[in-house]
Amino acid sequence: MNKSCSNCGQPFEPEPGYYFGAMFISYAINTALFITAWVALSIVKPDYSLSLLLSLLGLTVLIFLPFIYRVSRSIWISIFVKYRGEDFPGTS
């Protein structure tokens, strides 16, 4: 991620350890993703093996990891830093 917003200059890491809470958001997203993958596998192949399930979950994590990382950080910072689009010069 960038160090700060190119538009308003808001630092994306206000203090060390700021994104520790984003880990919990990432955990919630991953849990929802795991449950979705598990239900989908149960519907598509009702007699699946444990190794197939673990392989599917591992592949799911690897595919969505970059997306979940950024989304969880974005959600976490948006909880504390409100978007003020028109308040800054240079925005249209």
Side-chain angles (χ1 to χ4, degrees):
M1 290 183 73
N2 297 330
K3 294 290 181 190
S4 63
C5 176
S6 60
N7 191 26
C8 67
Q10 168 69 40
F12 288 142
E13 187 146 356
E15 59 190 37
Y18 178 77
Y19 287 106
F20 180 72
M23 177 180 63
F24 297 104
I25 293 173
S26 175
Y27 178 77
I29 294 170
N30 276 315
T31 300
L33 195 62
F34 284 3
I35 291 171
T36 303
W38 175 54
V39 169
L41 181 62
S42 296
I43 290 170
V44 172
K45 186 172 170 51
D47 58 339
Y48 62 87
S49 65
L50 181 60
S51 60
L52 178 62
L53 176 64
L54 293 177
S55 299
L56 176 67
L57 294 179
L59 185 64
T60 304
V61 167
L62 289 175
I63 291 171
F64 287 104
L65 182 67
F67 174 74
I68 292 172
Y69 176 76
R70 289 179 183 260
V71 167
S72 63
R73 287 174 63 112
S74 297
I75 291 171
W76 185 252
I77 199 168
S78 69
I79 292 171
F80 299 102
V81 179
K82 301 301 176 201
Y83 176 72
R84 304 178 312 221
E86 295 297 323
D87 290 350
F88 297 102
T91 60
S92 45

